[in-house]
Amino acid sequence: MSIILFLLVLFVLVLVHEWGHFIVAKKTGMRVDEFGIGFPPKLYGIKKGETEYTLNALPLGGFVKIWGENYEDVAGADAEVDKSRGFSSRPKWAQALVLVAGISMNILFAWFLFSLTYMIGAPTAVDESLATDKAELIVAGVLPDSPGVALPAGAVVTSIAYGDKSITKPTPTEFSKAVVAIAPEPIIVSYTVGENSGGNATLIPVKGLIKEDLDRYAVGVSLAMFETVKMPFFTAITEGFNSTWYGFKQISLGLVSMISGQADLSQVAGPVGIVGMVGEAASFGITALLTFTAIISLNLAVVNLLPFPALDGGRLVFVLIETVTKKQIPPEWAGRVNLVGFAILMLLMIAVTYSDITKLL
């Protein structure tokens, strides 16, 4: 099921991205020969007007084939063909607009998903003094090598039992007091994960986990009260924009850290890792899945902005160079650079996929 959800999410995100390229290319007078989902070999195709719409065998991407992108198409065209409709023949502003359209659509789509999530009702952190009976205690984080590792992050704590006492739907304060009261004896935590799973975890409090108070007993979990809050339309749109902007900044900073060697590359996930994440997000409900899809959409936008060959950002660099120099980059060199860039991207994809698989073993 996780694989099907992953392919569905990928399909939608690629469709949104490539539709951006497609519609702007059409609106700026370019000839679009093919709109493809997935990479060849082709499984199915239907032609409407001058454009063929295809479904391809490798469901890991997509493309829009705009006539004249490699310059050679236009140069070798028959005299009867309208060469002015080639990508390379259109004004530089039109070329740049087409290239940024896919990125822009991913950002706009993320904004739409975040806003929709807030309108449907998103789990929102609330102060326990303001929480209603609908609020839930969530495991927000777990300290490595602590008793808390028995609790999965994101789990909902339904009750706790210690000694001869038990509390249903405890607050963070009640949980902390219970740990201190029973230590060093165990506290039993009942929890649920998603809609269909859960269990009990026996946590034995230990000292030394809290740096500010090494003699205090703790179990190494971070807890927060969450409540589903539905927002009015305009409030949801505003909060959706704020979430989109925040997410875009954080992903960009993370990418800069990764490139500079300051980030933990072991945390980078490829297709195999994302399959598991999609399934995990779906287990927490539709809003979690929509939020995760929005984050992936922003990731695609940020990555495509990189000035790297074969990415939209790299092709924008070519357009900028031609604009400044007022000279056309030789098609053979542009093709070679893009081919090398694509090969490097594929090698990186293989390396990340291998890392994903080793984590599962």
Side-chain angles (χ1 to χ4, degrees), residues 209-356:
L209 295 178
I210 303 175
K211 294 182 180 179
E212 296 78 11
D213 189 357
L214 295 177
D215 291 327
R216 182 179 175 181
Y217 281 97
V219 293
V221 296
S222 175
L223 301 168
M225 296 295 289
F226 277 79
E227 191 168 342
T228 299
V229 177
K230 295 182 180 181
M231 298 181 181
F233 178 79
F234 289 108
T235 303
I237 294 295
T238 301
E239 288 302 314
F241 176 83
N242 292 336
S243 296
T244 302
W245 176 237
Y246 177 79
F248 186 86
K249 287 193 299 182
Q250 292 302 114
I251 293 169
S252 299
L253 291 173
L255 193 57
V256 171
S257 297
M258 186 178 69
I259 294 173
S260 62
Q262 298 176 357
D264 183 5
L265 295 181
S266 65
Q267 301 302 312
V268 177
V272 174
I274 295 175
V275 167
M277 294 179 189
V278 169
E280 185 176 347
S283 70
F284 287 98
I286 184 63
T287 54
L289 181 59
L290 290 176
T291 300
F292 182 77
T293 303
I295 293 171
I296 295 299
S297 190
L298 287 177
N299 272 273
L300 288 176
V302 172
V303 169
N304 267 288
L305 269 175
L306 289 175
F308 191 83
L311 296 177
D312 292 336
R315 296 168 67 193
L316 272 171
V317 171
F318 284 0
V319 173
L320 179 61
I321 291 174
E322 292 183 343
T323 302
V324 173
T325 62
K326 300 188 183 303
K327 293 182 180 180
Q328 178 181 306
I329 296 175
E332 61 274 13
W333 282 105
R336 289 169 187 169
V337 171
N338 281 323
L339 182 61
V340 170
F342 183 78
I344 293 174
L345 290 175
M346 288 299 100
L347 288 174
L348 287 173
M349 182 67 73
I350 292 172
V352 173
T353 301
Y354 175 78
S355 176
D356 286 343

Side-chain angles (χ1 to χ4, degrees), residues 125-143:
V126 295
D127 188 277
E128 64 178 87
S129 63
L130 302 175
T132 70
D133 293 339
K134 296 180 180 180
E136 296 179 319
L137 183 63
I138 305 293
V139 179
V142 177
L143 193 65

Side-chain angles (χ1 to χ4, degrees), residues 39-106:
F39 290 114
K42 181 171 66 175
L43 297 177
Y44 175 78
I46 181 172
K47 192 165 185 177
K48 291 188 176 181
E50 63 187 13
T51 305
E52 183 180 18
Y53 301 86
T54 62
L55 181 64
N56 300 281
L58 301 178
L60 296 177
F63 62 93
V64 171
K65 187 177 180 181
I66 304 173
W67 184 66
E69 284 184 283
N70 61 4
Y71 297 96
E72 293 175 342
D73 290 339
V74 176
D78 296 334
E80 296 80 14
V81 176
D82 185 0
K83 296 183 179 182
S84 67
R85 298 192 62 211
F87 178 88
S88 57
S89 300
R90 303 304 296 162
K92 295 303 178 186
W93 65 263
Q95 296 179 29
L97 206 59
V98 169
L99 293 174
V100 301
I103 298 168
S104 300
M105 283 304 301
N106 278 131

